[in-house]
Amino acid sequence: LVHGGSRTIRDYERRVLDFLGESLSPEDRRALGEQLAGLDHLKRLHGDRMVTFYYEKPEALPRLSNEGLEQKLATIRLETGQDGVQATVVSHRGLLSSLELSKSPTNLQNRPLQLTFVARKPGKNGDLAREIDAMEHTEGE
């Protein structure tokens, strides 16, 4: 927290992570839960469009089964009824790394949300940044 950040996961961020967790294998669901319990802090960047996760003791945490360098775990659509945002959940070497939104989440906090999967397949190594960039710049909202 000395360098900025927070220890609090916002409601809509928690909803995305819980929704993802429900779709994972029991082992990966347990690993994700332990990683979230082991969070030291998180940072929000780019108008809160990117949330990065930092751990107190990352070496002690269980890893997700997909341990590639940059893996897209899922893209999830959050709908508020009149507005929507896509959230991509990313891991790095089996640790939850970031939550990346297609636009600023200004209308998501404390609002009823409907979540649906856009994609559940991990991205290909090296293609993730390009995929997220395309998502941000082609969405007509």
Side-chain angles (χ1 to χ4, degrees), residues 38-85:
L39 273 178
D40 180 59
H41 69 281
L42 49 96
K43 288 186 180 182
R44 291 183 182 84
L45 308 162
H46 310 297
D48 294 345
R49 284 188 12 246
M50 178 179 229
V51 181
T52 54
F53 300 93
Y54 300 90
Y55 304 94
E56 186 173 341
K57 296 183 180 181
E59 67 283 349
L61 294 171
R63 305 298 166 135
L64 298 166
S65 58
N66 191 340
E67 292 191 29
L69 289 178
E70 254 188 344
Q71 295 296 313
K72 177 175 72 173
L73 300 175
T75 299
I76 299 166
R77 178 99 178 142
L78 294 82
E79 295 279 348
T80 64
Q82 53 190 271
D83 202 9
V85 175

Side-chain angles (χ1 to χ4, degrees), residues 68-137:
L69 289 178
E70 254 188 344
Q71 295 296 313
K72 177 175 72 173
L73 300 175
T75 299
I76 299 166
R77 178 99 178 142
L78 294 82
E79 295 279 348
T80 64
Q82 53 190 271
D83 202 9
V85 175
Q86 288 188 18
T88 298
V89 184
V90 180
S91 67
H92 180 76
R93 296 190 187 268
L95 280 175
L96 178 64
S97 172
S98 64
L99 178 63
E100 304 183 24
L101 302 162
S102 60
K103 64 181 184 176
S104 185
T106 54
N107 296 326
L108 297 181
Q109 188 66 13
N110 300 319
R111 303 259 324 260
L113 296 172
Q114 180 171 346
L115 282 69
T116 55
F117 281 104
V118 174
R120 289 190 228 192
K121 269 171 95 170
K124 296 178 182 168
N125 281 333
D127 290 344
L128 184 60
R130 201 169 323 131
E131 286 180 38
I132 290 171
D133 188 54
M135 176 180 72
E136 290 173 351
H137 297 291

Side-chain angles (χ1 to χ4, degrees), residues 11-24:
D11 178 60
Y12 62 89
E13 296 163 348
R14 173 61 70 182
R15 295 265 323 267
V16 168
L17 296 170
D18 288 346
F19 189 72
L20 170 66
E22 292 170 10
S23 74
L24 298 176

